[in-house]
Amino acid sequence: MQNIHSEGNLLIVKSMDPVNSDCPRRVLHVIGAMDRGGAETLIMNVYRNIDRSILQFDFLVHETRECDFDSEIRALGGSIFSIDRLNGINIVSYIKQCRVFFRTHHNYCAVHVHIGSSACFVIKEAKKFGLFCIAHSHNTNPSLSFLEIGFRLFSYPTRYIADYYLACSREAGVDRFGNSVVTSNRFSVLNNGIDVKRYKFSSKSRFSMRRDLGIAPEQKAICHIGRFSDEKNHEFLLKAFAKCGGGEFDGRLFLIGRGPLRNNMEQLAAELNIRDKVVFLGVRSDIPDLLMAMDLFVFPSKWEGLGIAAIEAQASGLPCILSPALPDMAVCSPFAYKMDSLNSTAAWAERMVDEPIRADSDRIDGVNYVGESGFDITCAAGFLTALYLDHVAI
């Protein structure tokens, strides 16, 4: 049962079940919305794998709608709080909402902030109550657009006021916090861990999912997972796939995700005369089974902090064609390949056509490659538990 009420502009969505004040201790995650995405998936993977009898998560989000993970959060014992999104002209109001929130909700052992643009405002208010604050960078962004310049101006003070800093890669840390933070003892790279067991290849799952998706035995199934936004580079991917049609190539492209550019990409697929070969699957909760059904994963992002979807694909044993923008640490498997550039759709098309389909028996080792590279979620869960409870990185 949920209790919803308001405190000023703050919408409170709380569990009716009281939490023991002594145990578990609680961590507040501050994020945009708990929809399916890289940062959100990491948080949920950690949440599922911590000892929730000693540690619990609450969430301060910037949406009032029901998001993808909200029901699971409540089932796991978490509470969800909502404030307005920072839009550049509501700074005073945003700070006031943060102040109101922490005045009445400051019994946290840590505040873990995942939003760059508003992190400094959240952290300043949280620290007034002596809370331990972590700033986390999940991406790199070389863009110098007007919006990105504004984002960087808002986020810049964070590097001076947080107690600890995390990033999905060293590159993402430098991009957000600068070299002086990354080389200090207050910074760590936190691998975006996954539950590798869920991705262990299964021939049975592959057969069942290919049947459900209508993939013929002789067809090459290529997939991409990512939000339909500029940095994921769907336009480039569609143009490359359109060049795969020569010879005996028989393939279909499956695009998984949501986002503001989806309609544009559906229109582009029609203009390229490949609409019948491109399947828009939307947001899915059965990613492991979908990856097992595929023959190739492609990821041509313009920029990435890490690219957790690429880690998931490698765990399933898929060959992967990856953007040069991904950090080297994202390449775990000998069957994952970083392209030299994003300049040639023809080069990507050639690689998509020529990449051989791996036998089922060869895909089982994918989970071992990923686990041995440090992306097993148990590592991240253990690290964060120690950081939250002791305020000392291990």
Side-chain angles (χ1 to χ4, degrees):
M1 182 179 296
Q2 301 296 310
N3 176 30
I4 303 177
H5 65 279
S6 61
E7 297 177 5
N9 293 327
L10 181 69
L11 179 69
I12 308 296
V13 187
K14 302 182 69 175
S15 170
M16 290 291 286
D17 300 322
V19 177
N20 186 302
S21 60
D22 297 320
C23 188
R25 297 177 72 180
R26 305 188 79 85
V27 173
L28 179 72
H29 288 274
V30 184
I31 196 163
M34 285 305 292
D35 284 323
R36 296 185 186 277
E40 297 83 358
T41 298
L42 169 65
I43 297 168
M44 292 306 297
N45 283 340
V46 171
Y47 198 8
R48 298 173 189 125
N49 284 274
I50 59 172
D51 183 345
R52 292 186 297 278
S53 69
I54 63 172
L55 194 64
Q56 261 291 350
F57 288 176
D58 289 341
F59 296 81
L60 180 61
V61 301
H62 296 69
E63 290 282 353
T64 56
R65 62 179 172 81
E66 184 76 3
C67 299
D68 295 337
F69 289 123
D70 285 2
S71 60
E72 183 179 359
I73 288 169
R74 290 189 285 265
L76 292 174
S79 295
I80 303 167
F81 310 89
S82 176
I83 60 175
D84 295 337
R85 190 177 293 272
L86 181 68
N87 59 24
I89 61 175
N90 66 340
I91 297 176
V92 174
S93 171
Y94 185 85
I95 293 173
K96 182 178 179 181
Q97 289 179 74
C98 292
R99 186 171 300 145
V100 169
F101 175 81
F102 286 112
R103 186 180 299 142
T104 52
H105 302 85
H106 50 260
N107 190 26
Y108 291 108
C109 63
V111 176
H112 191 153
V113 185
H114 303 268
I115 298 183
S117 59
S118 57
C120 68
F121 304 113
V122 174
I123 291 172
K124 283 180 180 178
E125 295 305 317
K127 287 178 75 69
K128 291 178 181 178
F129 296 92
L131 300 182
F132 178 76
C133 294
I134 302 164
H136 197 149
S137 174
H138 293 275
N139 212 337
T140 60
N141 191 344
S143 169
L144 292 178
S145 67
F146 177 78
L147 287 176
E148 177 59 21
I149 292 172
F151 170 86
R152 289 179 181 271
L153 288 173
F154 279 155
S155 65
Y156 189 82
T158 304
R159 63 184 66 186
Y160 300 109
I161 61 175
D163 296 299
Y164 204 84
Y165 300 86
L166 296 172
C168 59
S169 66
R170 189 180 187 281
E171 293 86 342
V174 171
D175 184 75
R176 177 70 57 81
F177 308 127
N179 277 304
S180 60
V181 167
V182 170
T183 56
S184 74
N185 60 4
R186 295 185 299 129
F187 172 83
S188 293
V189 171
L190 181 72
N191 287 345
N192 281 13
I194 63 173
D195 185 352
V196 293
K197 300 186 299 295
R198 297 184 60 220
Y199 295 86
K200 186 173 182 178
F201 181 80
S202 162
S203 296
K204 181 178 179 181
S205 296
R206 174 177 170 83
F207 176 83
S208 176
M209 183 58 72
R210 285 179 75 93
R211 180 192 60 206
D212 293 346
L213 293 173
I215 304 171
E218 68 278 3
Q219 283 184 321
K220 190 172 192 176
I222 302 172
C223 79
H224 173 273
I225 302 172
R227 175 176 166 79
F228 284 89
S229 53
D230 179 64
E231 71 273 11
K232 297 300 182 181
N233 215 9
H234 287 88
E235 180 178 347
F236 179 91
L237 176 57
L238 287 171
K239 289 180 177 178
F241 182 73
K243 293 183 178 180
C244 294
E248 299 180 357
F249 178 77
D250 181 12
R252 295 171 71 188
L253 177 63
F254 294 83
L255 301 178
I256 303 165
R258 66 159 71 93
L261 297 182
R262 171 168 171 167
N263 290 340
N264 301 57
M265 295 305 104
E266 291 191 28
Q267 181 177 345
L268 177 60
E271 293 171 358
L272 293 170
N273 295 317
I274 56 172
R275 187 63 186 87
D276 60 326
K277 297 181 179 180
V278 180
V279 183
F280 293 80
L281 290 176
V283 174
R284 301 282 294 239
S285 60
D286 54 352
I287 296 298
D289 290 337
L290 284 169
L291 289 171
M292 291 174 203
M294 300 298 153
D295 301 305
L296 178 64
F297 178 82
V298 286
F299 206 59
S301 298
K302 294 179 180 179
W303 61 82
E304 282 287 347
L306 176 73
I308 194 169
I311 304 300
E312 294 171 334
Q314 290 172 78
S316 77
L318 272 178
C320 298
I321 304 174
L322 307 175
S323 166
L326 268 67
D328 290 341
M329 64 183 292
V331 181
C332 309
S333 161
F335 304 100
Y337 178 82
K338 282 174 65 174
M339 296 291 284
D340 293 332
S341 75
L342 293 170
N343 296 328
S344 172
T345 54
W348 279 70
E350 182 179 4
R351 187 82 191 195
M352 283 191 274
V353 172
D354 292 344
E355 188 67 37
I357 297 174
R358 298 188 68 197
D360 287 7
S361 59
D362 293 335
R363 291 183 60 174
I364 296 174
D365 286 339
V367 293
N368 296 329
Y369 293 129
V370 169
E372 290 167 2
S373 296
F375 288 99
D376 190 321
I377 191 58
T378 57
C379 298
F383 178 91
L384 285 178
T385 296
L387 180 62
Y388 294 150
L389 295 179
D390 300 331
H391 301 169
V392 177
I394 59 174

